[in-house]
Amino acid sequence: MGSIPELQPEITLSPATQLEPFKVLVVGGSYGGLSAALNLQDLCHGLPPRCGEKPAEGEHLGGPQFAVDITIVNERDGFYHVIGSPLALASEAFAEKAWVKYDEIPGLRSPNIRVLQGTVQSVDLEQKVATYLAHGSTAPPSELRYDYLVAATGLRRVWPVVPQSLRRKQFLFEAGDHIRAATTAKHGVVIVGGGAVGIEMAAELKLVHPQLKVTLVHSRDKLLSSESLPDEVKDRSLELLREAQVDVLMSHRLDRTDEVKDDSGNKCLKVHFTNGHTLLADQVSMAVSRSIPSTTYLPSSVVDEEGYVKIQASLSFPSDTPNSDAHFAVGDLVKWSGIKRCGAAMHMGFFAATNVHQQMQRQTAGTEPKLLELDEIPPMIGLAVGKKAVAYWPEGGVTSGEEVMKAFFGDDLGFSICWNHLGLGGDILKAV
Ligand SMILES: Cc1cc2nc3c(=O)[nH]c(=O)nc-3n(C[C@H](O)[C@H](O)[C@H](O)COP(=O)(O)OP(=O)(O)OC[C@H]3O[C@@H](n4cnc5c(N)ncnc54)[C@H](O)[C@@H]3O)c2cc1C
């Protein structure tokens, strides 16, 4: 991820044909949605987009300015650093940091940006109107009219992969209860599923609570078995986990868990595996369920049979759907190659913002839009395993160690890297 350039706005005149501010609706306020909203904010102010190429000294990368009203709708009341979940659900101090309410994010403080907490329930592509239900409201859904829409609602993930609370306050209780239950465990915690999420959950728990017995079980003979990554990544991940003192049981498929009493008469769980092996634990966390796209509000013509949005390379909705060049999708919910990653979500948000800005120019000045298009994305990964990380991308090959951890995640599981990349600290808007 690149750093954000120091920006100086260059004044250009808005096209005379724009009578009303453009209305842009961003559904989902996580990595992809915030990137789309804030890169568009830059472009509409004549600034180079924050997630784009850094302009050379004296070079001007901005374009025409437009008045724009950006509405972001999100179910949670703040930006939640999803990547940090394994640590947020192991450390109460980190949980405090991992969720920042939108009204406390300086980068979103601008008269033309508003964030609504609620759920978008439907979208009419032809009329360009969405229905939205405000969080906690008993009133009927209200309508949001828009000129451009960016869908960035990601995947629905189950507990304890991510917290299910929608308000920060409630989340802190949820995380606190979970952490206390895990850390008072005498027999330890079993995490089922050796994909990226299970690996990180096990490693973070052991890192924060070294006295705790943490066991990761996986049904196959390699970790990360459903990812098309080189075996070296999978083997290195196993080595790092064992180095981090996590007990790893490979080729163990969970059969069932029974509530039993231990030798001291205390309640605990007996975990049975299909190979006959059993062990006692106080907590069993499932990290196996498939996450599903949160796209039920979109017409079925836009999504595939699993619910992923069938984007064009420009991130627009399929060309045979109404107003496809006014509708974009970014992040985990798109049907595209590559492992789902937050870096990809932010990158797509930047592309969508650029393409919306191009469409605004077409609409007002009749120019042919120069659209950014996604290439195929090869499998790549950065995985935190306790104090170390393992990383793989085609040009870099496999690397691992503490310096890889530092480069990919800093010292807060990537929170500051993402916060700074998205300019959530607000330095960029202050320049406007
Ligand atoms: C435990 C864990 C660890 C991870 N670690 C890494 C990592 O190390 N590196 C990496 O690159 N990636 C990692 N990922 C993947 C990364 O988190 C995702 O790629 C990223 O979150 C995708 O961002 P997004 O903006 O597309 O969607 P999401 O982050 O899923 O956000 C979608 C947002 O939309 C909101 N929403 C959903 N439906 C609606 C609706 N109908 N109306 C309004 N709002 C709605 C949700 O509340 C949410 O805020 C990890 C994921 C998990 C679960």
Side-chain angles (χ1 to χ4, degrees):
M1 289 166 199
S3 60
I4 292 163
E6 292 292 315
L7 300 168
Q8 286 304 321
E10 211 166 286
I11 305 302
T12 51
L13 290 176
S14 290
T17 43
Q18 193 196 359
L19 300 173
E20 292 277 326
F22 283 114
K23 291 193 198 67
V24 177
L25 177 61
V26 178
V27 191
S30 184
Y31 308 100
L34 291 180
S35 170
L38 291 168
N39 280 290
L40 186 63
Q41 173 78 344
D42 296 337
L43 286 160
C44 287
H45 283 88
L47 296 167
R50 62 193 66 197
C51 297
E53 213 178 297
K54 191 175 169 161
E57 193 73 28
E59 188 190 7
H60 173 58
L61 282 185
Q65 297 182 33
F66 294 104
V68 63
D69 284 333
I70 301 172
T71 301
I72 302 167
V73 182
N74 195 65
E75 291 181 335
R76 298 188 181 111
D77 70 1
F79 167 65
Y80 175 63
H81 182 51
V82 179
I83 292 177
S85 271
L87 183 52
L89 296 178
S91 153
E92 290 193 66
F94 188 75
E96 291 270 351
K97 176 172 180 168
W99 184 310
V100 188
K101 288 180 72 173
Y102 289 118
D103 52 16
E104 283 163 20
I105 298 181
L108 292 173
R109 276 184 212 135
S110 179
N112 69 317
I113 298 180
R114 65 174 173 157
V115 187
L116 304 174
Q117 189 192 359
T119 304
V120 168
Q121 295 190 315
S122 67
V123 171
D124 180 335
L125 306 184
E126 217 138 357
Q127 300 299 320
K128 296 196 194 168
V129 58
T131 57
Y132 134 88
L133 189 64
H135 175 72
S137 166
T138 49
S142 44
E143 290 194 339
L144 295 168
R145 298 200 164 269
Y146 60 84
D147 299 302
Y148 295 98
L149 176 136
V150 181
T153 41
L155 303 179
R156 291 238 175 260
R157 302 183 173 93
V158 296
W159 172 259
V161 172
V162 293
Q164 302 295 301
S165 309
L166 298 178
R167 291 168 52 236
R168 183 175 186 273
K169 208 168 167 186
Q170 186 192 352
F171 155 68
L172 293 177
F173 287 120
E174 188 183 14
D177 288 349
H178 176 72
I179 294 165
R180 276 186 296 279
T183 51
T184 48
K186 216 172 91 210
H187 300 286
V189 173
V190 170
I191 290 165
V192 181
V197 171
I199 294 173
E200 290 196 346
M201 278 167 73
E204 293 304 324
L205 205 51
K206 188 70 191 173
L207 181 70
V208 183
H209 306 283
Q211 77 295 346
L212 189 69
K213 181 174 160 58
V214 179
T215 308
L216 178 74
V217 297
H218 190 54
S219 58
R220 314 294 285 271
D221 62 355
K222 292 253 183 242
L223 294 173
L224 300 164
S225 46
S226 54
E227 306 292 359
S228 47
L229 290 163
D231 276 355
E232 198 186 341
V233 181
K234 304 178 180 185
D235 296 342
R236 196 76 64 87
S237 304
L238 179 59
E239 276 164 40
L240 292 190
L241 263 182
R242 291 197 160 133
E243 238 178 73
Q245 309 293 314
V246 172
D247 291 338
V248 187
L249 299 176
M250 301 301 296
S251 306
H252 273 61
R253 184 176 291 277
L254 180 71
D255 182 13
R256 65 183 198 280
T257 56
D258 296 332
E259 219 177 89
V260 295
K261 286 197 171 156
D262 65 13
D263 295 345
S264 321
N266 297 318
K267 271 192 195 161
C268 64
L269 298 168
K270 187 166 186 178
V271 187
H272 297 258
F273 299 97
T274 50
N275 60 8
H277 185 202
T278 60
L279 56 81
L280 294 184
D282 292 294
Q283 200 183 64
V284 176
S285 289
M286 304 299 288
V288 278
S289 29
R290 260 180 90 79
S291 302
I292 48 166
S294 176
T295 51
T296 46
Y297 61 95
L298 292 173
S300 57
S301 55
V302 169
V303 298
D304 74 355
E305 59 293 346
E306 291 179 274
Y308 289 96
V309 183
K310 298 180 285 183
I311 51 161
Q312 303 177 51
S314 63
L315 294 150
S316 300
F317 281 13
S319 55
D320 58 354
T321 56
N323 293 315
S324 63
D325 51 11
H327 294 87
F328 295 81
V330 303
D332 278 10
L333 55 63
V334 303
K335 186 179 171 61
W336 202 258
S337 52
I339 295 174
K340 304 289 181 203
R341 290 177 311 111
C342 87
M346 293 189 283
H347 187 65
M348 290 182 206
F350 154 57
F351 270 32
T354 306
N355 293 348
V356 168
H357 188 245
Q358 287 291 320
Q359 294 295 354
M360 289 174 173
Q361 290 175 57
R362 182 190 54 77
Q363 210 179 320
T364 52
T367 52
E368 188 56 35
K370 292 190 203 110
L371 301 178
L372 292 179
E373 299 206 329
L374 283 182
D375 289 327
E376 287 300 301
I377 306 176
M380 52 177 112
I381 195 166
L383 188 68
V385 192
K387 286 195 176 116
K388 297 184 178 174
V390 53
Y392 166 77
W393 71 103
E395 303 86 49
V398 184
T399 52
S400 63
E402 288 189 21
E403 64 298 341
V404 178
M405 180 71 179
K406 189 93 201 139
F408 276 77
F409 296 97
D411 55 12
D412 54 9
L413 220 46
F415 178 89
S416 300
I417 295 176
C418 294
W419 178 271
N420 293 336
H421 189 60
L422 290 170
L424 298 181
D427 302 348
I428 293 165
L429 286 181
K430 269 191 236 138
V432 177

